[in-house]
Amino acid sequence: MDEAIIRYYKKLLKKGFTYAGSFENPTIYLTYDNSKGILCGNAGDNLHLYVKINKGIIEKMRYLCICDPTTNVVIEALCVLAENKSLTEVQNLTQEAFSQLIESRGEEFLKKTRIVIEFLRPEIIKFENKI
């Protein structure tokens, strides 16, 4: 794990995981288990992502996960980058945006950002096609 991830994770441990949690009636609810590829660290780990969309804006995003520290940092970063952004902006999120926020270019971090982007993007497209 690179120093930027360690630093950010320690910050989360001190101040709390801002986006951890859930809420009722999400617009999009996603689950990720490691059968889709290793995101969460170990077999049996999982991620639940709750997204509330209002008028084309991601109004609220929360998650529950059993994951390794790198994945926790990636998911927190996703929430920071996505909340209060348009669906188009979120669809166009890049690994570079995550890297700039966390100040990491670590291989594991970049791999997990790619997985998270590929996890969320199709669901946003699917949602847009329904409206």
Side-chain angles (χ1 to χ4, degrees):
M1 193 174 352
D2 69 58
E3 287 299 315
I5 299 300
I6 293 168
R7 196 170 40 255
Y8 201 89
Y9 191 73
K10 283 181 179 179
K11 185 173 107 176
L12 291 172
L13 289 172
K14 284 181 185 174
K15 74 170 188 137
F17 294 79
T18 305
Y19 297 95
S22 64
F23 55 86
E24 296 291 320
N25 304 313
T27 310
I28 296 174
Y29 169 73
L30 298 167
T31 61
Y32 191 100
D33 63 44
N34 283 335
S35 66
K36 299 172 187 165
I38 300 298
L39 171 64
C40 298
N42 301 302
D45 291 354
N46 59 66
L47 165 69
H48 303 273
L49 188 63
Y50 302 79
V51 182
K52 181 177 182 183
I53 300 169
N54 186 15
K55 298 179 182 175
I57 304 292
I58 295 196
E59 190 172 90
K60 186 175 184 178
M61 186 178 280
R62 297 293 181 269
Y63 70 93
L64 294 173
C65 72
I66 299 171
C67 296
D68 63 279
T70 301
T71 302
N72 270 119
V73 169
V74 169
I75 298 301
E76 281 279 328
L78 171 66
C79 294
V80 168
L81 293 167
E83 210 169 75
N84 299 310
K85 300 292 189 308
S86 73
L87 295 176
T88 302
E89 288 174 298
V90 176
Q91 272 181 287
N92 293 320
L93 279 176
T94 64
Q95 289 177 299
E96 187 58 34
F98 284 81
S99 289
Q100 288 177 0
L101 178 66
I102 305 300
E103 299 178 349
S104 175
R105 303 252 351 126
E107 184 179 331
E108 181 183 8
F109 174 74
L110 291 174
K111 176 183 169 189
K112 290 183 180 212
T113 61
R114 187 185 77 255
I115 292 170
V116 165
I117 290 166
E118 291 170 0
F119 171 59
L120 181 58
R121 185 176 288 145
E123 295 301 320
I124 290 175
I125 292 168
K126 195 184 313 180
F127 173 79
E128 284 185 306
N129 289 334
K130 284 197 279 184
I131 56 172

